[in-house]
Amino acid sequence: MGEEESIMDKDEETWNQKKQTLIDVVAEKLIGGDLDAKIQAARDIRKLVRKSPVKTRSKFAAAGVIQPLVSMLLSPNVDARESSLLALLNLAVRNERNKVMIVTFGAIPPLVELLNFQNSSLRELAAASILTLSAAAPNKPTIAASGAAPLLVHLLSSGTVQGRVDAVTALHNLCTGSEDPTLILNARAVPSLINLLRECKKYSKFAEKTTALVEILSKTEDGRLAISNLEGGILTLVETVEDGSLVSTEHAVGALLTLCQSCRNKYRELILKEGAIPGLLRLTAEGTTEAQERARTLLDLLRDSPPEKPLTSSVLERIVYDFAKRVDGADKAAETAKRLLQDMVHRSMELSLSQIQLRAGSCTPSDIPSM
């Protein structure tokens, strides 16, 4: 047994030596070769690392390939830019140290330039690269200050499906690492984000990130105006409260609450008109602790009389009664309220079962795959 293990160890050592030699040869071509050799070396790096262990990415970085690859991003040759983009993207995936090195060597300015590029393929590769690099906390301030955010916002409405997903995720990464995310996003992002939220599955991870960005925008006056002035803007948030995941509903009710708290007289009727009460009532029982508190506070603000005290069960019943009276009049209010509460319980049970089944059949990767 000892002899077999010794042979296996030697075979592994021989293989590792061959791989290191290959890495050194490719790195030498990238560093010292002509343009064609550099392009081929970049393509070789992508092929070698895309299905290799993380340590292979580290070995390439140690061989000095990152700086010349970043320099190729500035090349007037489109093939050089594309090959270096793909190589850097694959070197960065699942390797935090490489992510930081790539930014340290100055990759962000040329990537931002590529976000403006006419070539849509390069533009979306740049967005994917910024997404990957923005996952590393040390990189976030540099990317946030680079001017990338407005270009990512533009991609929300002009990119492919994958480009839009990457743009939302990159913006979410940048905002979660910022002390004041409203400095990163502006109200021009609202129409695209609401449209994406309207079209996607409300319980998806993508919806969670999109709704988080909408909540951030609701904290600015321009953002609130954009949400309320957009046809279906408030309705989409109400629908997310009804059908979203725990995270999505928390952000959606947060956005609605921020609207109503900023100007109750202005936003109360707009939120009521979109039928928010049933979803909010369900959320007081089923949401996260934060979502429940937000839903109770918002329901209190939506009452006919001014808010006076924290919501209790009796106050919730009164809200349902007031809502029923608005719909069917005082004569039928008690009967309507009772039916509404019964329907809410029944619908809540159906939605819970449906969402459990949907989540069980869905799978979201934790990291973007190598390309």
Side-chain angles (χ1 to χ4, degrees):
M1 188 69 179
E3 185 176 347
E4 290 180 359
E5 289 180 352
S6 178
I7 293 172
M8 290 176 63
D9 288 343
K10 288 182 179 178
D11 287 344
E12 184 177 355
E13 183 180 350
T14 300
W15 167 243
N16 287 335
Q17 288 175 348
K18 287 182 178 179
K19 181 178 280 189
Q20 185 61 54
T21 300
L22 180 58
I23 290 172
D24 292 339
V25 169
V26 173
E28 185 178 343
K29 289 180 180 178
L30 181 68
I31 296 169
D34 59 19
L35 183 59
D36 289 339
K38 290 177 184 289
I39 292 172
Q40 186 57 53
R43 290 171 177 167
D44 290 341
I45 290 171
R46 178 201 176 196
K47 291 176 183 177
L48 288 168
V49 304
R50 61 189 305 191
K51 294 182 180 179
S52 297
V54 173
K55 62 182 180 181
T56 302
R57 294 171 171 81
S58 298
K59 288 180 178 180
F60 266 111
V65 303
I66 289 180
Q67 188 168 20
L69 284 172
V70 170
S71 298
M72 287 174 67
L73 294 176
L74 297 167
S75 173
N77 185 293
V78 174
D79 288 338
R81 285 185 165 186
E82 183 175 23
S83 61
S84 61
L85 259 176
L86 288 168
L88 288 167
L89 182 56
N90 282 274
L91 286 169
V93 171
R94 296 189 295 278
N95 193 304
E96 294 301 294
R97 180 174 291 184
N98 282 2
K99 288 182 176 74
V100 174
M101 287 181 64
I102 290 168
V103 172
T104 300
F105 280 121
I108 298 304
L111 287 175
V112 171
E113 182 183 326
L114 287 172
L115 284 176
N116 257 324
F117 215 56
Q118 293 296 319
N119 185 310
S120 60
S121 175
L122 284 179
R123 190 167 61 242
E124 297 207 354
L125 278 176
S129 299
I130 289 176
L131 158 61
T132 305
L133 297 173
S134 66
N139 292 340
K140 293 184 180 184
T142 301
I143 299 173
S146 69
L151 299 173
L152 291 170
V153 168
H154 179 68
L155 197 60
L156 294 178
S157 59
S158 64
T160 63
V161 172
Q162 187 60 55
R164 295 175 187 184
V165 170
D166 289 346
V168 165
T169 309
L171 288 167
H172 184 265
N173 284 348
L174 295 175
C175 288
T176 53
S178 171
E179 293 182 2
D180 187 359
T182 59
L183 297 177
I184 296 172
L185 279 178
N186 62 54
R188 284 177 298 204
V190 167
S192 296
L193 290 171
I194 293 293
N195 287 334
L196 290 172
L197 185 58
R198 184 185 295 124
E199 295 168 2
C200 74
K201 296 175 181 177
K202 301 295 189 295
Y203 56 83
S204 65
K205 293 291 184 183
F206 179 73
E208 292 176 359
K209 294 181 176 65
T210 304
T211 317
L213 296 177
V214 175
E215 184 184 4
I216 289 169
L217 287 164
S218 73
K219 298 180 187 302
T220 68
E221 180 62 25
D222 287 344
R224 290 190 289 271
L225 288 173
I227 292 169
S228 59
N229 290 339
L230 181 69
E231 184 177 357
I234 291 177
L235 175 60
T236 300
L237 291 173
V238 169
E239 290 173 343
T240 306
V241 168
E242 294 176 344
D243 301 326
S245 69
L246 290 175
V247 175
S248 294
T249 54
E250 183 175 313
H251 289 308
V253 73
L256 292 171
L257 177 59
T258 301
L259 261 65
C260 205
Q261 285 177 327
S262 71
C263 184
R264 181 174 181 269
N265 291 336
K266 178 177 181 178
Y267 292 108
R268 176 178 170 275
E269 287 296 330
L270 293 176
I271 295 172
L272 282 172
K273 186 179 71 174
E274 301 299 355
I277 297 292
L280 292 173
L281 288 170
R282 181 174 68 85
L283 197 57
T284 62
E286 290 190 354
T288 63
T289 302
E290 180 65 24
Q292 289 180 24
E293 180 60 31
R294 290 176 175 184
R296 291 189 182 100
T297 304
L298 180 54
L299 282 167
D300 204 17
L301 288 169
L302 295 177
R303 294 163 63 190
D304 284 335
S305 58
E308 297 174 355
K309 58 184 178 180
L311 285 180
T312 62
S313 297
S314 61
V315 175
L316 284 176
E317 291 174 6
R318 180 67 187 178
I319 290 174
V320 177
Y321 177 83
D322 289 343
F323 178 69
K325 187 167 66 174
R326 289 166 59 88
V327 175
D328 285 345
D331 293 342
K332 297 183 179 180
E335 180 183 347
T336 300
K338 181 179 179 181
R339 187 175 68 252
L340 178 58
L341 286 169
Q342 290 174 340
D343 289 345
M344 280 302 306
V345 172
H346 181 68
R347 185 172 183 275
S348 173
M349 293 173 64
E350 287 184 339
L351 279 172
S352 297
L353 178 61
S354 174
Q355 288 179 355
I356 289 171
Q357 292 172 336
L358 287 168
R359 288 168 188 151
S362 65
C363 179
T364 303
S366 59
D367 201 349
I368 65 168
S370 298
M371 299 182 68

